[in-house]
């Protein structure tokens, strides 16, 4: 499907495995429970789209805008998002084995409990995101932001955080980064709260 307008259309529970959507408008479309495995999405606009309970396994999203969309309980196994906008998106309870994000905006998104273990995270904006209980063990951060994110009960053992913006993280929460590697500048930012300077 190319340049199609599917805004507000009800496509729930339809078998759409392997379909390709290019430059389509799917804003506020209802894909609840649809079968979309191995689908491809390129340059699509889908603000407030509802993918709740969909099967999007092995699907690929490139340069799409799905701000404030719902992927709650969606199967995203082996799926990928590259250069996408997912601000405010809800991925709660999603099945995400081998899910990957590259250069994607996830500010204020809900991602509780997701596993990023051993992932190379490149260009992710996770400002103010809900990352409670996420697993970042052995992950490598490059040009990422965790500024003001909710990191309660996250795991960072073995993670390399030197390429992450940790702004807004308080020294009292620094224990969450036990076992992770941070830079001298990042350590200085944390210690500055105590009035100390690192030279």
């Amino acid at each position: 499907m190319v340049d199609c307008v599917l805004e507000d259309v009800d496509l729930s529970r339809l078998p759409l495995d392997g379909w390709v959507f290019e430059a389509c408008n799917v804003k506020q479309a209802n894909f609840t429970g649809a079968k979309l495995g191995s689908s491809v999405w390129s340059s699509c606009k889908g603000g407030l789209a509802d993918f709740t309970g969909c099967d999007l396994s092995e699907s690929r999203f490139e340069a799409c805008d799905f701000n404030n969309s719902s992927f709650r309980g969606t199967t995203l196994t082996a799926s990928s998002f590259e250069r996408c906008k997912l601000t405010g998106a809800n991925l709660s309870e999603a099945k995400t084995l081998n899910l990957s994000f590259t250069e994607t905006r996830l500010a204020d998104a809900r991602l509780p409990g997701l596993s990023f273990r051993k992932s190379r995270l490149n260009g992710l904006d996770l400002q103010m995101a809900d990352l409670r209980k996420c697993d970042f063990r052995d992950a490598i951060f490059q040009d990422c932001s965790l500024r003001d994110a909710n990191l309660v009960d996250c795991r960072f053992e073995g993670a390399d955080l030197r390429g992450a913006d940790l702004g807004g993280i308080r020294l009292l929460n620094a224990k969450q980064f036990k076992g992770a590697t941070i830079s001298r500048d990042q350590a200085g930012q944390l210690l500055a709260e105590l009035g100390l300077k690192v030279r």
Side-chain angles (χ1 to χ4, degrees):
M1 303 190 77
V2 180
D3 292 322
C4 291
V5 178
L6 300 171
E7 188 169 357
D8 291 314
V9 172
D10 185 359
L11 299 170
S12 58
R13 297 177 178 80
L14 291 179
L16 303 171
D17 295 278
W19 281 43
V20 176
F21 299 84
E22 183 176 338
C24 293
N25 176 359
V26 294
K27 294 178 181 177
Q28 302 184 63
N30 181 11
F31 291 96
T32 302
K35 303 298 183 184
L36 286 158
S38 300
S39 55
V40 178
W41 306 74
S42 177
S43 301
C44 293
K45 304 293 184 184
L48 296 171
D50 190 353
F51 292 93
T52 300
C54 274
D55 180 3
L56 278 163
S57 55
E58 299 183 6
S59 293
R60 191 171 74 249
F61 296 81
E62 299 175 348
C64 291
D65 182 346
F66 283 103
N67 288 336
N68 300 304
S69 291
S70 176
F71 294 88
R72 189 179 181 91
T74 299
T75 300
L76 290 164
T77 302
S79 295
S80 64
F81 291 85
E82 183 175 349
R83 294 177 288 110
C84 291
K85 296 179 181 178
L86 293 168
T87 298
N90 184 1
L91 282 80
S92 300
E93 303 172 20
K95 300 171 183 68
T96 59
L97 183 65
N98 294 324
L99 171 64
S100 67
F101 297 100
T102 304
E103 296 180 15
T104 292
R105 184 171 176 81
L106 287 154
D108 205 33
R110 282 167 281 178
L111 309 164
L114 263 63
S115 177
F116 296 91
R117 189 173 186 183
K118 296 184 178 180
S119 297
R120 183 176 292 274
L121 306 178
N122 183 22
L124 297 194
D125 182 355
L126 293 161
Q127 294 185 64
M128 298 182 289
D130 181 0
L131 302 174
R132 289 171 297 151
K133 297 184 179 181
C134 283
D135 187 349
F136 292 104
R137 286 177 292 171
D138 301 309
I140 298 174
F141 290 76
Q142 295 180 318
D143 193 25
C144 295
S145 177
L146 292 170
R147 180 173 289 272
D148 296 316
N150 184 348
L151 301 175
V152 172
D153 294 329
C154 285
R155 300 190 65 180
F156 286 96
E157 297 98 309
D160 186 343
L161 290 161
R162 289 175 292 180
D165 176 1
L166 301 180
I169 304 300
R170 300 291 175 253
L171 188 60
L172 291 174
N173 304 121
K175 63 182 180 181
Q176 294 174 117
F177 300 121
K178 182 178 179 180
T181 300
I182 63 174
S183 69
R184 181 180 293 271
D185 287 342
Q186 290 169 322
Q189 290 171 9
L190 293 172
L191 292 173
E193 293 186 19
L194 294 179
L196 300 174
K197 294 182 180 180
V198 179
R199 297 185 183 277

